[in-house]
Amino acid sequence: MSEKRRVTSGATYRDAAIPLTALWTSPFARWGGTLSHLSSLDLAVAATGRALSERGIDRDAIEGMVLGWTVPQPAIFYGATTLAARLGMPHVSGPMLNQACATSVAAMHQAAAAVGTGVGPQLIVTTDRTSNGPDLSWPSPAGSEHGPVRENWVRDSFSRDPVTGQSMLATAEAVAAECGFTRDDLDALAVLRSEQYTAALSDDRTFQRDFTVGIEIEQDELGTVRLLADEGVRPVTTDSAGQLPTVRPGGVHTAATQTHPADGTAGALVTTTPRARECADRGPIVRLVASGFARVEPARMPKALVPAAQAALHAAGLKIDTMDAISTHNPFAVNDLYFARETGVTLEAMNASGCSLLFGHPQGPTGLRTVTELAYVLKARGGGLGLFTGCAAGDTAAALIIEVTD
């Protein structure tokens, strides 16, 4: 696919909004950490149930659920139906969505579309555990004597795009090489993002406390699983970044300039603007303005952030310089470097509270956590328009424009 044949689509929403308090996320735990042996469905039940109770959200008023995940877990077959019943909402069902790192935007798009047709409030639950991903086995189509076909769901997917056969890292290195971005460029970006994340933790994590739902679950086999803050985040300094080896010989990315797989969950309640205002009890609401999806040429995934953002902006009739805050899902530092170069947005103007490069990447909930943080950044500045955009596997990306208003 040539540069000129990028495929994009954009959509606007007539009347879809979220009470600001009805956006939440669990802390994220690095691969192999506290959440690594807990089913992501169990995690979603615990976090969502606590969020609904603490925020006073009426479960009987919820009319649908959108469940987003990318890594199969035990009992995932019935998906949203099972999850809703476990949350005390046996009247609720809805679709399951799986679109790699674009899952969160796809889930919000689905919920907003449903609300736009007159359906009542839609609960979005996104959840994933990349730790201890399943090994899948299928009988060989050539017969049992040839042995089964096997796949490690997480590791094989990260290391091989089935269309191009290349890893996600390979796409980042290809874009860095094409654009002439250096190791120093990437290291400096990682240091900046680390400083932004660290600043957001000031005053005993005051910024995060309003939207973070702590995890405390009693498990017979595990004992008490407790997680109250992000786990496994390593600060990046100029010295520490410079001492790391590149992930592949001749490349420019290191462990500091690519994200780490993680485990976590995030959620939201999407409804109409009047109902959101009622639920918010005169507090701020988050209006869903537009979304955009894009696909670029093969093995150039980091580039997709730009046309996805442009598709959302075009659909909404807005320009990027009208955005009051911008956040990205950036599994690789090169993503932000490319986005800044193509759009003119400064690196300092993006990801004010940190990003997935630092806090990790459970895939399904990554985008929703970032949108949640974006909404709270806008709240802190008195409201305004915000843009989220992030790449996804298969050279794709998804973007969302929101507006925070009183």
Side-chain angles (χ1 to χ4, degrees):
M1 184 184 299
S2 69
E3 292 277 337
K4 293 182 180 180
R5 294 191 60 206
R6 291 178 172 181
V7 177
T8 63
S9 64
T12 57
Y13 307 111
R14 179 174 58 86
D15 185 17
I18 303 169
L20 182 66
T21 56
L23 279 166
W24 63 85
T25 178
S26 76
F28 285 2
R30 183 182 283 270
W31 178 313
T34 296
L35 304 179
S36 61
H37 296 283
L38 186 69
S39 165
S40 66
L41 290 183
D42 291 343
L43 176 65
V45 169
T48 307
R50 181 174 178 181
L52 294 176
S53 297
E54 291 180 346
R55 288 152 174 78
I57 296 173
D58 182 3
R59 302 183 194 206
D60 289 337
I62 295 171
E63 295 189 15
M65 175 185 287
V66 182
L67 172 60
W69 58 271
T70 73
V71 181
Q73 301 288 279
I76 196 71
F77 183 89
Y78 294 100
T81 305
T82 298
L83 191 60
R86 291 183 62 188
L87 287 167
M89 301 183 293
H91 62 288
V92 171
S93 185
M96 293 189 291
L97 295 176
N98 176 339
Q99 196 174 343
C101 323
T103 297
S104 284
V105 174
M108 286 184 277
H109 174 70
Q110 172 69 31
V115 168
T117 65
V119 178
Q122 301 289 298
L123 177 64
I124 298 173
V125 179
T126 55
T127 190
D128 259 328
R129 186 188 73 188
T130 59
S131 299
N132 301 317
D135 287 301
L136 304 184
S137 176
W138 296 271
S140 171
S144 59
E145 67 276 10
H146 294 277
V149 176
R150 299 186 185 279
E151 178 184 23
N152 182 282
W153 184 276
V154 175
R155 289 187 175 88
D156 289 349
S157 297
F158 286 178
S159 63
R160 185 183 66 249
D161 174 352
V163 175
T164 67
Q166 297 195 44
S167 69
M168 302 304 99
L169 174 62
T171 72
E173 293 289 0
V175 173
E178 278 186 15
C179 297
F181 297 132
T182 67
R183 163 74 183 268
D184 288 345
D185 294 332
L186 272 65
D187 285 355
L189 187 281
V191 171
L192 171 62
R193 296 291 177 251
S194 181
E195 291 171 346
Q196 291 170 313
Y197 175 82
T198 301
L201 302 181
S202 63
D203 298 325
D204 195 25
R205 298 176 48 246
T206 297
F207 172 75
Q208 293 183 351
R209 287 187 180 277
D210 284 344
F211 58 78
T212 301
V213 177
I215 302 300
E216 189 162 349
I217 306 172
E218 295 291 340
Q219 292 263 304
D220 291 339
E221 63 277 19
L222 299 176
T224 301
V225 178
R226 182 181 291 107
L227 187 67
L228 303 180
D230 292 332
E231 179 181 79
V233 178
R234 300 171 183 169
V236 182
T237 65
T238 301
D239 288 343
S240 67
Q243 294 172 9
L244 293 171
T246 57
V247 179
R248 56 168 53 186
V252 291
H253 285 85
T254 69
T257 52
Q258 65 172 353
T259 191
H260 55 271
D263 308 324
T265 184
L269 183 73
V270 180
T271 185
T272 62
T273 299
R275 198 157 187 174
R277 292 195 186 283
E278 179 183 335
C279 294
D281 191 24
R282 294 183 297 278
I285 67 167
V286 182
R287 190 169 67 89
L288 304 185
V289 178
S291 64
F293 295 85
R295 187 166 192 173
V296 294
E297 61 271 27
R300 296 299 184 273
M301 181 181 71
K303 291 184 176 182
L305 278 74
V306 174
Q310 291 170 338
L313 290 164
H314 178 75
L318 297 169
K319 301 293 185 181
I320 199 163
D321 59 8
T322 64
M323 296 296 105
D324 298 297
I326 296 174
S327 293
T328 64
H329 161 51
N330 46 4
F332 303 100
V334 71
N335 288 40
D336 284 359
L337 294 173
Y338 181 80
F339 185 86
R341 192 189 78 165
E342 294 297 303
T343 64
V345 175
T346 66
L347 296 172
E348 292 77 11
M350 301 156 56
N351 295 312
S353 63
C355 57
S356 54
L357 188 66
L358 269 294
F359 56 63
H361 180 26
Q363 299 198 119
T366 306
L368 189 47
R369 168 169 174 167
T370 308
V371 169
T372 298
E373 294 203 12
L374 175 63
Y376 274 84
V377 167
L378 289 167
K379 175 201 172 188
R381 68 178 307 282
L385 290 164
L387 168 69
F388 162 76
T389 186
C391 70
D395 306 309
T396 68
L400 185 74
I401 297 173
I402 62 173
E403 182 181 25
V404 174
T405 64
D406 291 329

